[in-house]
Amino acid sequence: MTTEVFTPSLIPTLPGQAYVSEEIFRAEQERIFEQMWFCAIRSADLDKPGAWRTVQIGRESVLISRTRKGGIRAFYNVCRHRGVKLCMEEQGEAARSFQCPYHAWTYDFEGKLIAAPNLTKMPDIDRDEYGLVKVHVREYLGYVWVCLADEPPSFEEDVMGAIEERLGDLKAIEGYDVANLSLGRRIRYDVKANWKLIIENFMECYHCATIHPELTEVLPEFADGLAAQYFVGHGAEFGEDIKGFTIDGSEGLDLIPGIEEGQDRRYYAITIKPTVFVNLVPDHVIIHRMFPMAADHTIVECDWLYLPSVVESGKDVTASVELFHRVNQQDFDACERCQPAMGSKVYAKGGVLVPSEHHIGAFHDWVQEKVGDVTPGH
């Protein structure tokens, strides 16, 4: 006789404090964002030697630049002399080196200390030892991923493994040739909500029929409330009369030639923890990168990527951009509506997840395992 395992319809979420507590957010910065591989910038954003970007990762400012030989390096954005922030802007271009604006300590693009006032009179200074502190770097999917941990976790397991787990096989993404696509549009969203609310929203489709009329028109199965991410290898199929992944279902742009036959009318969504969403459709790829700034504040940068020939020809990408831009606005508005109630006494023990959202519980377990015990207010 077999005993049937009973699974309750409702399971609990994280408690409300997980979304408002600065102590918990600080622990997330320290134990998640500063320990894992973090998708920082698109490689093509550094278009020449000396081009640089600064990115906030956890509690640290990171300086990412392209070297004279074309490589990419990342450093803590901190002068080794008195701790001044070397680069105050979000992006720029250095002619020959990085120079501290306080005492003029100067570093080459490899991070080595190459000049400082009276440096020749201090022959005991090791110019490598007192160079900029390096951060681990990997390039993948055309993006620069950095890790602040002394010993970074396996990139293959954490990043590539997340794609393999979702799609069932890494080959399923290789045909999209994401690294060689070109940026057609970038939109930056300033979201007044906790980063976990955004991830939870992206992972489920229970809300799709309520707030995404345009998306469910293109992807009818989403109206049933089951997210594509719920099933390994599954891509949501376009509606019968839908010609492309566009705001009105009209014809899209040039198909990415490497995609497989079964992918030519499907949408795939992938979450790469902690802060990346990858969306695959036949003619473009959409990448979300989140930058958690505070317990109730997250910056999201969203890139729409197309075949280089599409971007170079100046073809109008508005119809495809508008679909997911509207989805983003709808989602982020929902998250911002949730955020104020996270601190309510009514939500002290959290809310609940219905069966089609139960997979979010695994994300909550992962967060709690990473962060450990934190007592808010202490």
Side-chain angles (χ1 to χ4, degrees):
M1 181 178 177
T2 58
T3 303
E4 187 174 341
V5 178
F6 174 73
T7 301
S9 295
L10 303 180
I11 62 174
T13 69
L14 292 172
Q17 281 295 311
Y19 304 90
V20 297
S21 163
E22 288 299 337
E23 289 86 359
I24 291 175
F25 180 70
R26 194 157 51 245
E28 290 170 346
Q29 289 179 306
E30 179 184 351
R31 301 166 196 174
I32 296 178
F33 312 134
E34 297 171 17
Q35 294 298 316
M36 298 186 67
W37 286 101
F38 196 101
C39 189
I41 64 171
R42 186 151 179 81
S43 301
D45 290 341
L46 303 178
D47 58 354
K48 63 183 71 172
W52 55 265
R53 297 267 176 143
T54 58
V55 178
Q56 187 71 27
I57 300 176
R59 299 164 297 178
E60 302 287 353
S61 175
V62 175
L63 171 63
I64 306 171
S65 67
R66 193 170 291 281
T67 69
R68 295 193 183 283
K69 295 181 179 180
I72 290 180
R73 300 288 182 270
F75 313 97
Y76 286 90
N77 187 20
V78 179
C79 178
R80 297 300 306 284
H81 174 219
R82 296 274 294 281
V84 167
K85 203 171 185 179
L86 281 178
C87 298
M88 296 296 293
E89 305 299 325
E90 289 189 359
Q91 64 186 75
E93 187 179 323
R96 294 179 298 276
S97 57
F98 297 112
Q99 186 174 84
C100 175
Y102 193 8
H103 295 94
W105 276 41
T106 306
Y107 307 87
D108 68 14
F109 296 150
E110 298 287 347
K112 183 179 180 179
L113 176 64
I114 56 173
N118 304 317
L119 185 61
T120 55
K121 296 179 181 178
M122 297 177 276
D124 58 322
I125 291 183
D126 185 320
R127 298 190 183 204
D128 288 312
E129 182 183 350
Y130 284 92
L132 298 177
V133 177
K134 295 181 179 179
V135 172
H136 300 283
V137 173
R138 286 285 297 264
E139 286 187 78
Y140 182 57
L141 300 179
Y143 284 81
V144 178
W145 304 67
V146 299
C147 183
L148 276 57
D150 292 337
E151 295 293 332
S154 167
F155 189 89
E156 288 70 22
E157 290 181 16
D158 282 10
V159 177
M160 300 170 74
I163 297 174
E164 188 172 20
E165 181 180 4
R166 165 67 185 93
L167 298 180
D169 190 336
L170 270 178
K171 291 180 180 177
I173 198 173
E174 290 172 359
Y176 290 86
D177 197 20
V178 183
N180 291 311
L181 298 180
S182 292
L183 182 66
R185 188 76 57 85
R186 172 174 292 161
I187 299 178
R188 182 175 176 133
Y189 304 87
D190 194 316
V191 187
K192 300 297 189 294
N194 185 273
W195 67 283
K196 296 187 295 298
L197 289 176
I198 298 173
I199 287 189
E200 293 162 12
N201 170 280
F202 185 73
M203 290 180 70
E204 55 93 356
C205 212
Y206 189 47
H207 68 277
C208 288
T210 310
I211 70 172
H212 294 321
E214 301 87 359
L215 183 64
T216 52
E217 184 72 23
V218 174
L219 304 173
E221 68 181 71
F222 275 12
D224 294 332
L226 285 176
Q229 294 186 70
Y230 194 82
F231 309 100
V232 175
H234 177 71
E237 191 169 5
F238 293 3
E240 187 176 337
D241 298 325
I242 297 301
K243 296 180 180 178
F245 196 75
T246 55
I247 188 65
D248 56 1
S250 60
E251 196 77 40
L253 296 150
D254 299 351
L255 294 185
I256 298 169
I259 63 172
E260 298 174 4
E261 185 177 342
Q263 297 172 324
D264 62 353
R265 286 183 54 79
R266 291 185 180 271
Y267 160 80
Y268 299 86
I270 306 163
T271 300
I272 303 176
K273 296 189 291 286
T275 55
V276 177
F277 305 147
V278 179
N279 308 271
L280 307 172
V281 292
D283 62 334
H284 62 283
V285 172
I286 307 162
I287 308 278
H288 294 72
R289 289 169 291 131
M290 289 191 296
F291 301 89
M293 308 304 289
D296 59 356
H297 184 202
T298 308
I299 300 293
V300 183
E301 280 197 357
C302 189
D303 291 347
W304 281 260
L305 309 172
Y306 302 85
L307 289 174
S309 57
V310 169
V311 176
E312 291 163 8
S313 68
K315 288 184 179 178
D316 188 1
V317 300
T318 303
S320 57
V321 169
E322 182 59 27
L323 176 56
F324 228 93
H325 172 53
R326 198 167 298 185
V327 169
N328 285 338
Q329 290 176 315
Q330 292 158 346
D331 281 339
F332 300 155
D333 177 67
C335 293
E336 289 184 339
R337 285 171 175 264
C338 286
Q339 185 63 41
M342 295 297 99
S344 168
K345 65 179 183 181
V346 175
Y347 209 78
K349 294 182 180 180
V352 292
L353 301 170
V354 301
S356 64
E357 304 171 300
H358 280 189
H359 57 294
I360 295 174
F363 169 65
H364 291 162
D365 292 342
W366 174 84
V367 170
Q368 290 184 308
E369 182 181 337
K370 287 285 186 183
V371 173
D373 293 328
V374 179
T375 305
H378 291 273

